[in-house]
Amino acid sequence: WSSDVCSSDLHATDDSAVNPNKPDDLTPAEIREPSEEPASWQESQIPLPDFPSARGLIPFRADTGDPDYRYYIDVNSVSLGADEVLRYTVIIQPPVGTSNIIYEGIRCATMEVKMFAFGTRDGRFARMAEPRWTYFYTPGAMGYRKSLVEIYVCDENGWAVDGDTVLERLVMHDPRRPRIVPKVPPSSN
């Protein structure tokens, strides 16, 4: 009998034997009680934001976007809806030609993006005909979305952060911001 292990001998703090997937390893869409039916997600109907103006734009680092393009977020359009979708207006400026203005949202729980509207030449938004949720990462000019997800919009557990936190992160990573490099004291030889 002494060679048998009783369940009372297991340490209560070691839940790895019971659940090898700790909550930090799961996305929000995966976290639920086994007996719980998945809640049906309902997308919020949000009105389009005002068309962006140059004063409200902040550049952002898009390491995964096209290196020849410049990317900006309209700070006045950033919002987190009750549906946990972070919505924003992005301006994509190619080296030559016309900039693209897109109002879209990122759903961190599923790593999806949806384009709701695009900017027109007459300075207004036009809704997309049939917008769909798609996987967020597309290489090339639209690759900026991966940077948004990894640096600005989603936390390390797959939750969308609030609009103020996104704006703080944009300011913190602003490519125009001077970088202070600590001086190394000269060695005394």
Side-chain angles (χ1 to χ4, degrees):
W1 169 248
S2 62
S3 63
D4 293 336
V5 177
C6 296
S7 61
S8 62
D9 292 340
L10 294 176
H11 296 284
T13 58
D14 183 15
D15 64 348
S16 62
V18 178
N19 180 8
N21 297 318
K22 295 195 167 124
D24 289 347
D25 299 335
L26 303 174
T27 66
E30 296 170 322
I31 297 175
R32 68 178 192 281
E33 292 298 318
S35 62
E36 249 182 67
E37 286 295 318
S40 62
W41 177 76
Q42 183 65 38
E43 182 177 339
S44 299
Q45 298 303 311
I46 306 289
L48 295 177
D50 291 335
F51 202 75
S53 68
R55 287 187 323 212
L57 302 182
I58 187 167
F60 68 93
R61 236 182 55 222
D63 298 336
T64 55
D66 188 310
D68 296 328
Y69 284 52
R70 291 188 180 159
Y71 300 91
Y72 302 87
I73 292 283
D74 174 25
V75 298
N76 300 309
S77 68
V78 178
S79 68
L80 179 63
D83 55 4
E84 293 294 317
V85 172
L86 196 289
R87 292 171 177 81
Y88 56 90
T89 301
V90 63
I91 292 80
I92 306 166
Q93 187 178 45
V96 294
T98 305
S99 294
N100 291 299
I101 300 172
I102 302 169
Y103 180 62
E104 62 187 8
I106 290 178
R107 190 170 172 218
C108 296
T110 58
M111 295 298 178
E112 292 176 304
V113 66
K114 184 176 188 178
M115 291 174 46
F116 299 107
F118 58 92
T120 64
R121 290 178 190 225
D122 60 350
R124 62 180 186 82
F125 280 112
R127 289 192 181 273
M128 300 293 292
E130 293 184 31
R132 290 191 170 88
W133 288 101
T134 59
Y135 181 64
F136 76 93
Y137 182 65
T138 308
M142 303 303 269
Y144 68 88
R145 292 171 173 158
K146 185 173 186 206
S147 293
L148 285 176
V149 166
E150 292 176 350
I151 301 172
Y152 305 102
V153 175
C154 304
D155 71 12
E156 62 276 359
N157 295 315
W159 296 98
V161 299
D162 62 77
D164 288 340
T165 302
V166 171
L167 295 175
E168 288 170 13
R169 290 176 177 183
L170 285 166
V171 169
M172 184 173 69
H173 293 283
D174 184 343
R176 300 172 301 183
R177 186 173 173 216
R179 302 289 184 236
I180 300 171
V181 180
K183 291 185 177 181
V184 178
S187 61
S188 55
N189 286 338

